[in-house]
Amino acid sequence: MNCQDIVISSQDTTIDDLDTDVLLELIQRGYDVGHLEQLPKLHRLARKIEAVHRANPDVPKGITLAIKKLEYMLTDHIERENAYVLKRMEHDQPPNPHTPIAQMNEEHSYLRQQLRKLRRITRNYRVPDSACRSWQRFYRELKALDFSLSEQIYLEREVLFPRFQF
């Protein structure tokens, strides 16, 4: 399931007005699942590109390690966020002062830093003329992941979390 598969009940509903449980489903079943499926594929592509094209000066040096770091960071973040934050928000439960929202926002900042690093390494996902089809696909999919993850962070920080902060 991805974000497009989650049905919003009314055409007039804005993202800010979504029911909390619908927003939680969008985050967990739409974004989280998609990101966790995509990152290992991107890691394999990065490893392939660095290996096959290692002599090419346009190869983004360190891209495999950067993708692996993002995968590790995001997997760890999602596990903690689901266990300690999102579960406490189901069915609009009253705000809990022990919910580590500030920690999740701090981790979002680290994830955004890693995305900026990927943009810098790839020159904003600009594909060099010498790029093969795998390299082109890698940049296209990495750019889509960047957009999707940035969108998710926005939804959590600006729409969901404020509902549960004092």
Side-chain angles (χ1 to χ4, degrees):
M1 170 171 286
N2 61 37
C3 301
Q4 293 83 9
D5 295 332
I6 296 175
V7 178
I8 298 173
S9 58
S10 170
Q11 296 280 340
D12 299 328
T13 302
T14 67
I15 201 76
D16 291 334
D17 297 329
L18 282 180
D19 177 76
T20 299
D21 287 342
V22 172
L23 190 54
L24 289 169
E25 181 181 10
L26 175 65
I27 289 167
Q28 293 173 311
R29 292 180 47 203
Y31 289 103
D32 287 351
V33 168
H35 296 151
L36 293 176
E37 287 175 357
Q38 189 65 19
L39 278 164
K41 296 173 189 175
L42 288 170
H43 179 250
R44 285 189 298 275
L45 272 172
R47 197 173 50 218
K48 175 183 175 181
I49 290 162
E50 276 196 307
V52 171
H53 300 284
R54 67 180 156 269
N56 186 327
D58 291 328
V59 168
K61 303 295 184 230
I63 192 72
T64 302
L65 185 60
I67 292 290
K68 193 63 180 173
K69 183 175 181 180
L70 178 63
E71 182 180 8
Y72 171 77
M73 290 170 65
L74 188 59
T75 301
D76 190 49
H77 171 76
I78 287 171
E79 287 173 4
R80 273 196 314 285
E81 188 172 66
N82 285 334
Y84 302 109
V85 178
L86 301 184
K87 288 288 181 207
R88 294 180 180 180
M89 296 177 174
E90 289 176 344
H91 313 299
D92 279 320
Q93 295 177 48
N96 182 333
H98 304 295
T99 303
I101 292 173
Q103 179 184 345
M104 295 299 106
N105 281 329
E106 185 176 339
E107 290 178 16
H108 288 155
S109 295
Y110 295 137
L111 289 165
R112 288 169 53 180
Q113 285 174 2
Q114 191 65 16
L115 290 173
R116 280 192 296 276
K117 179 179 181 176
L118 288 167
R119 280 184 229 121
R120 189 181 77 253
I121 290 172
T122 61
R123 298 177 327 198
N124 253 355
Y125 311 114
R126 202 173 13 242
V127 180
D129 294 334
S130 61
C132 65
R133 284 182 293 170
S134 293
W135 194 343
Q136 292 170 14
R137 187 176 93 230
F138 172 64
Y139 274 25
R140 192 173 48 252
E141 291 178 12
L142 186 56
K143 184 177 182 179
L145 175 81
D146 182 334
F147 181 82
S148 178
L149 185 53
S150 297
E151 190 175 61
Q152 178 183 359
I153 290 170
Y154 170 82
L155 286 175
E156 291 176 7
R157 290 179 81 139
E158 304 301 325
V159 179
L160 179 64
F161 291 171
R163 296 177 184 186
F164 295 90
Q165 291 176 311
F166 294 98

